[in-house]
Amino acid sequence: MKTGKGLRVTAAALAGMVALAACGGGDDAADSGPATLRMTVWTANEAHLKLFNEIADEYKKTHSNIAEIKFDPLPFDNYTTTLTTQIAGGNAPDLAWIFENSAPDFVSSGALLPLDETLKKTEGYGYDDLSPATLKLWQDGGKLYAYPFSTSPFGVFVNTDLLKKAGQKTPAELIAAGQWNWTNALAAASAANAATGKAGIVIRDFDYKGWDNLSTYFTGWGAQAWSADGKTCGFTSPEMVDAMTTLHKAIFVDKAMPGPGTTADFFAGEAAMTVTQISRASLLKKDGFGWDLVPLPAGPKGNYSVVGQAGLGVLKKSKHAQAAADFLAYFTNATNSAKLAQFFPPPRQSQLTAETLAKTNPTLTPEQLQKVVIDGITNGVVKPNHAGQAELSQQVRASLDPLWKADADVKAVLDGVCTKIQPLLAK
Amino acid sequence: MSETDTVAGRESARPATGGRTAEPAGPRRAGDRRPYWTARRRDQLTGYLFITPQLLGSAVFVILPLILVVWYSLHEWNVLAGTFDYVGAENYQALADDTNLPGVLKATGLFSIGLVIFNLALALLLAVLLNQRLRGSIVFRTLFFSPVVVSLVAWTIVWGFLLQDNGGINGLLDTIGVDGPNWLRGETTAMLSVIVVQVFKNVGLNMVLFLAALQGVPGELYEAAEVDGASRMRQFWRITVPLISPTILLTSIITVVGSLQVFAQIAVLTQGGPGTSTTVLVYYLYQQAFQFHHFGYGATLSIVLFAIVLALTVLQWQMRKRWVFHES
């Protein structure tokens, strides 16, 4: 019968297609011979990659089971999306950097290999040297799922030439006088803008979209995006309303910050100050402007610090998961951790001293390292993070957009944020 | 008897008219075996072999993904956990309950309508102008067509700089004393900006198609109309438009389908904002599937998109009887 024959042909064709599709997978396929490891990273900085490759080359000398270790830079803006797309497409890396804002998703999902045993049994690793506070975000059920290879406090880079040109006291002078707070920082930024035409202060990577970077500002008011248990929205709290009202005035009235749709790169000399992490020090030009690095200004609730974290984990889907975990143990051992410390503040307590960090951070003074990095890590709160953060972030971003207009009703906008995200937080 | 002989013998039995009758004439005797490799079968095999690569490509890269999308829409796929659970019609129920969807469809509709109107009108205007015998018209044709071959992302990034609050567009407006808006931060201006960027990117393609159609309109029709005293405008509406109506249909289908698939411009310029004013269906689908990891719901949204594209294409195709006055 024609119909029956047609059905058979169709079935055979579909079977062939499914077989073809299956050829593309192979997540669990056995693998023999020396392994090639791939680690996704969000830096394409040549100095960073050079150091990684040096460590990897050293490791390969004593590990014949590893043929190659590749560092695969993914674009910073869509890093997590690209990573999860690779995982969905059956092309998961062996090791991956993970942002703090997606840590809850990765850690609780079971996507990562537990690392405790491997790290503890690695000779001379010094697992107990890892600061417990830095491990918290990366643990679940008492197991460690990623190594917090970078716990990087936010500080303020200052273009001292620009501030002096505008007749302003430098932050160092304000710190010495006990006057380094957001009121004075915004006033200096406003004056710098008025006098030089350059931007005052820029919260880097915020750009009126990456709102979680604003936590480096509103934490000074004691405000939080959501409660510690992640169940209650914090955008309507009096502290947040106060913080955002001050920020709105700073942007639209005092011009202390460049407005929406205006870009100003501090490292190109286009702004007087920028809030960012010390790893960005590598962007400073040797013969550029005079600069300084100082802690975040004090808020109404006093001194505070905010840290951005990045974890390094091994994907369970990796064909060489254990080999990848072994490399992770080498990559982050005490010796290599000290090398990496020049860019990424380590979680090792023994290395969190100004003297140790100064050896690998020639651009920063021991005083800067103590005040910004060590004190920051000791007292800092991690940037907002929550399970399902991508969806939450999108809702907050969209709901906050009406705030970035000169005539915005700050309280009403913040009420709108909570109306949108409370159902997601309550899930 | 060899196969060659058999085929040759059957070939000779064909009528001299060159007809394609495959069966030999006359009653078949018991025990006669018809040769399997008849010329007809051989021709069929050759034909199938020729289309096999295309069929395989379509099956693997078109049909299979379509089937998989339907399959995924019935599942919840947690990429990180590695789970893939059947949820039945849950994703379709979520579609009905999605409070963001009306806004997304509105943005999609606004973008498509705006793009189709601006693109087709500008392309036709440019084609009519460049169809004149003017000095330098080839240079202008090349200039207007060149954005079509420029990288879409590069094009959009450049426009992103131009549309900044302190960007090139407002700089130009400032020189004539106009205080330009913050194009990408206002809900209306953001949508308008995305449409304009897309129009300038692709208007050249439609322009070339219109130009080719215009050059196919016989000159004597205009001469006859002029003799009859028809104005230029009347000639355009009564002669040009009817005769290029097949091209108008083609370009409108291409533009509508293209408008429903816009992604890079939104991702680079506005990321769906401000608010959700430029969150069109494809971008929303991307967010759900790849940013929020709701792959099942993303697949369901892609089926909605497929249904919309199909419905609009069929509708336009059916309406060709009214639109298209001349179709070869």
Side-chain angles (χ1 to χ4, degrees), chain A residues 101-188:
Chain A
N101 58 17
S102 53
D105 286 334
F106 274 86
V107 170
S108 64
S109 65
L112 302 172
L113 194 75
L115 298 170
D116 315 64
E117 277 185 33
T118 306
L119 299 184
K120 283 175 183 170
K121 78 178 183 192
T122 301
E123 203 178 325
Y125 189 80
Y127 185 85
D128 293 337
D129 190 24
L130 304 180
S131 162
T134 63
L135 301 181
K136 204 175 161 189
L137 187 61
W138 310 96
Q139 288 173 320
D140 189 37
K143 288 188 174 180
L144 181 70
Y145 287 90
Y147 168 90
F149 83 99
S150 176
T151 299
S152 190
F154 284 83
V156 181
F157 280 92
V158 184
N159 184 329
T160 49
D161 290 350
L162 257 181
L163 281 181
K164 283 175 187 166
K165 199 173 167 186
Q168 295 299 302
K169 283 182 182 172
T170 63
E173 290 168 333
L174 290 169
I175 289 170
Q179 295 172 344
W180 180 234
N181 54 42
W182 273 106
T183 305
N184 290 331
L186 291 172

Side-chain angles (χ1 to χ4, degrees), chain A residues 14 17-18 20-21 77-78 80-81 84-85 87-89 102 105-106 109-112 207-209 259-263 315 317 390-392 394-395 397-399 401-402 404-405 420 427, chain B residues 56 59-60 63-64 67-68 77-82 99-100 161 163-167 182 185-187 268-276 279 283 286-288 290-295:
Chain A
L14 280 175
M17 287 188 289
V18 171
L20 270 174
D77 288 341
N78 293 309
T80 306
T81 304
T84 48
T85 306
I87 296 169
S102 53
D105 286 334
F106 274 86
S109 65
L112 302 172
D207 195 24
Y208 298 88
K209 291 172 188 155
T262 306
T263 53
L315 274 295
K317 286 192 170 186
E391 190 168 6
L392 267 170
Q394 160 61 19
Q395 292 287 8
R397 197 276 299 155
S399 310
D401 272 342
W404 313 128
K405 289 176 184 168
K420 273 286 184 187
K427 272 185 186 174
Chain B
L56 273 178
V60 173
I63 309 295
L64 180 63
I67 294 168
L68 286 178
W77 181 8
N78 186 328
V79 170
L80 295 181
T99 53
N100 291 321
F161 284 116
L163 290 164
Q164 281 185 159
D165 195 24
N166 57 349
N182 198 345
R185 301 296 309 185
E187 295 195 353
V268 174
L269 285 179
T270 65
Q271 292 172 18
T276 52
T279 305
Y283 192 73
Y286 159 78
Q287 284 184 323
Q288 288 290 341
F290 296 99
Q291 289 188 323
F292 309 159
H293 308 150
H294 301 153
F295 280 89

Side-chain angles (χ1 to χ4, degrees), chain B:
Chain B
M1 188 183 278
S2 73
E3 185 180 304
T4 315
D5 294 339
T6 309
V7 172
R10 214 202 50 68
E11 292 281 12
S12 63
R14 278 185 182 169
T17 54
R20 304 288 294 170
T21 310
E23 302 300 326
R28 198 181 298 155
R29 285 176 298 181
D32 272 3
R33 288 191 63 195
R34 260 169 51 194
Y36 185 79
W37 281 112
T38 60
R40 183 182 174 191
R41 282 206 165 104
R42 197 178 55 186
D43 288 352
Q44 282 178 340
L45 177 66
T46 309
Y48 281 125
L49 282 176
F50 272 118
I51 63 170
T52 294
Q54 175 65 28
L55 276 180
L56 273 178
S58 298
V60 173
F61 297 111
V62 179
I63 309 295
L64 180 63
L66 278 174
I67 294 168
L68 286 178
V69 163
V70 177
W71 182 244
Y72 291 157
S73 75
L74 302 172
H75 291 77
E76 192 50 65
W77 181 8
N78 186 328
V79 170
L80 295 181
T83 55
F84 190 70
D85 301 319
Y86 180 75
V87 294
E90 262 184 36
N91 286 323
Y92 292 88
Q93 184 59 48
L95 199 66
D97 299 339
D98 190 343
T99 53
N100 291 321
L101 200 57
V104 168
L105 292 176
K106 183 184 164 194
T108 310
L110 278 176
F111 180 81
S112 294
I113 292 168
L115 184 71
V116 170
I117 292 173
F118 281 122
N119 192 325
L120 294 191
L122 185 61
L124 190 54
L125 178 69
L126 287 172
V128 169
L129 291 175
L130 294 176
N131 196 34
Q132 314 298 315
R133 285 181 187 153
L134 297 173
R135 191 184 268 186
S137 62
I138 293 175
V139 175
F140 284 112
R141 287 177 200 177
T142 310
L143 278 177
F144 286 121
F145 187 77
S146 57
V148 176
V149 293
V150 170
S151 153
L152 176 60
V153 174
W155 172 263
T156 311
I157 288 172
V158 170
W159 270 98
F161 284 116
L162 292 175
L163 290 164
Q164 281 185 159
D165 195 24
N166 57 349
I169 304 286
N170 281 349
L172 280 176
L173 289 174
D174 196 40
T175 58
I176 55 168
V178 176
D179 188 16
N182 198 345
W183 295 96
L184 298 173
R185 301 296 309 185
E187 295 195 353
T188 312
T189 53
M191 177 57 87
L192 185 67
S193 302
V194 177
I195 292 171
V196 168
V197 171
Q198 177 68 357
V199 165
F200 284 131
K201 175 75 178 74
N202 279 340
V203 73
L205 188 63
N206 284 345
M207 179 198 77
V208 167
L209 292 171
F210 281 134
L211 205 51
L214 287 173
Q215 289 173 354
V217 179
E220 55 266 32
L221 292 179
Y222 294 112
E223 288 166 15
E226 262 188 54
V227 171
D228 288 344
S231 66
R232 280 289 178 96
M233 194 54 79
R234 201 171 176 80
Q235 287 176 34
F236 177 77
W237 287 111
R238 293 301 172 106
I239 298 172
T240 309
V241 171
L243 286 177
I244 66 166
S245 53
T247 307
I248 295 175
L249 175 72
L250 171 73
T251 50
S252 67
I253 290 176
I254 291 173
T255 309
V256 167
V257 172
S259 73
L260 290 166
Q261 295 172 346
V262 66
F263 175 79
Q265 298 87 328
I266 301 287
V268 174
L269 285 179
T270 65
Q271 292 172 18
T276 52
S277 60
T278 58
T279 305
V280 296
L281 191 51
V282 173
Y283 192 73
Y284 188 57
L285 184 166
Y286 159 78
Q287 284 184 323
Q288 288 290 341
F290 296 99
Q291 289 188 323
F292 309 159
H293 308 150
H294 301 153
F295 280 89
Y297 188 54
T300 311
L301 288 168
S302 71
I303 289 174
V304 172
L305 177 65
F306 177 75
I308 292 173
V309 171
L310 185 68
L312 285 177
T313 309
V314 169
L315 182 71
Q316 282 176 301
W317 192 249
Q318 290 303 317
M319 286 179 72
R320 79 186 190 281
K321 289 167 193 161
R322 288 189 180 188
W323 289 2
V324 180
F325 300 100
H326 162 77
E327 191 174 28
S328 57

Side-chain angles (χ1 to χ4, degrees), chain A residues 77-100:
Chain A
D77 288 341
N78 293 309
Y79 179 84
T80 306
T81 304
T82 311
L83 175 60
T84 48
T85 306
Q86 288 190 355
I87 296 169
N91 183 32
D94 303 284
L95 303 104
W97 286 9
I98 297 156
F99 283 119
E100 76 280 298

